[in-house]
Amino acid sequence: MAVEIRNKIGGSIIAITMGPLQARSVLQEALLYGADQGILLSDRAFAGSDTWSTSYILSHAVRKIENVDLLLFGKQAIDGDTAQVGPGVAAQLQIPQLTEVQAVFDITSDNIVVKQKIDTGFRVLRSVFPCVFTVDKEANALPAPTLHNWQTAQRKEIKIWDAEFLDLKNSFVGLDGSPTKVVKTEAICGNKSIRWIADISELKAICTQTK
């Protein structure tokens, strides 16, 4: 979605992720597909950060960049699956947020109009800048990168920002700074029984009983 917007109206795309040094590969892929810059937020102090601490760290990175109009996040991660980081950053920065954005209908220097997925279908919303979107993974499809894209991406430097550079409070990051504590996890065990229905008359009898 960032590439689509940039190709229509111009601008610059900065890809940011937080993690160990190995996470540079994610940013290299972002550069390959059209990002202009890549920034890795990496520090041992970040280890164990929950969604609140992660949002705190990311929001400080945004403040460090300055003059940011639009922040795009995935809908949710595949590990915690909380869908809280994008909205958390919006809260930290005190700017509008729209979740589950599927498409951009219109964009001007003052605002942006998008299609948002909801339970009963979709709705069209307008937001001023700056703002935060979380984007559905099926919203856009990028073409395969070219050899030129690959060569350009290889030449770009990925910046690494740590806690000191971001001027963070140590008490707000990492395991100690995370208010969420996972005490226990367990697999869900289903105890459902299966009843085979022979014909429509039996189904009708069951429905009548449940009413």
Side-chain angles (χ1 to χ4, degrees):
M1 185 170 285
V3 171
E4 182 182 284
I5 293 171
R6 193 267 315 277
N7 290 348
K8 284 183 179 178
I9 65 170
S12 178
I13 301 172
I14 302 175
I16 301 178
T17 193
M18 188 180 95
L21 295 179
Q22 298 93 303
R24 280 181 291 196
S25 61
V26 177
L27 294 172
Q28 287 170 340
E29 184 176 3
L31 294 171
L32 178 64
Y33 279 99
D36 298 293
Q37 299 179 51
I39 299 174
L40 174 61
L41 310 180
S42 186
D43 195 308
R44 287 185 178 274
F46 299 163
S49 293
D50 66 357
T51 53
W52 187 90
S53 288
T54 300
S55 301
Y56 169 77
I57 296 165
L58 288 170
S59 65
H60 273 67
V62 174
R63 291 190 179 100
K64 202 76 174 179
I65 295 170
E66 298 181 338
N67 301 319
V68 175
D69 295 311
L70 179 61
L71 302 175
L72 300 177
F73 292 81
K75 175 184 172 182
Q76 60 203 84
I78 59 173
D79 48 8
D81 210 34
T82 62
Q84 294 174 351
V85 173
V89 172
Q92 292 276 356
L93 298 174
Q94 298 184 350
I95 59 177
Q97 59 168 296
L98 294 177
T99 58
E100 297 199 53
V101 172
Q102 291 188 313
V104 174
F105 287 155
D106 187 38
I107 183 169
T108 69
S109 58
D110 298 319
N111 53 57
I112 184 169
V113 180
V114 301
K115 174 183 177 182
Q116 182 191 47
K117 180 181 177 182
I118 57 177
D119 291 340
T120 55
F122 71 91
R123 59 186 174 187
V124 178
L125 297 173
R126 184 190 306 272
S127 176
V128 297
F129 296 114
C131 57
V132 166
F133 292 169
T134 66
V135 181
D136 192 289
K137 67 179 181 180
E138 299 176 355
N140 304 82
L142 286 171
T146 65
L147 177 60
H148 175 72
N149 294 143
W150 183 85
Q151 291 173 329
T152 302
Q154 296 301 308
R155 290 194 295 267
K156 290 181 178 178
E157 177 190 2
I158 294 175
K159 298 178 181 178
I160 300 176
W161 292 356
D162 59 14
E164 182 180 0
F165 182 80
L166 294 173
D167 193 26
L168 303 176
K169 294 181 179 179
N170 291 333
S171 58
F172 286 177
V173 302
L175 199 59
D176 293 337
S178 299
T180 306
K181 306 299 180 186
V182 180
V183 179
K184 180 183 179 183
T185 60
E186 59 184 46
I188 298 175
C189 298
N191 297 315
K192 295 181 180 180
S193 59
I194 298 174
R195 177 178 176 179
W196 294 101
I197 299 173
D199 52 41
I200 191 67
S201 60
E202 185 179 352
L203 176 61
K204 184 178 179 180
I206 294 171
C207 291
T208 302
Q209 292 171 4
T210 56
K211 289 180 180 179

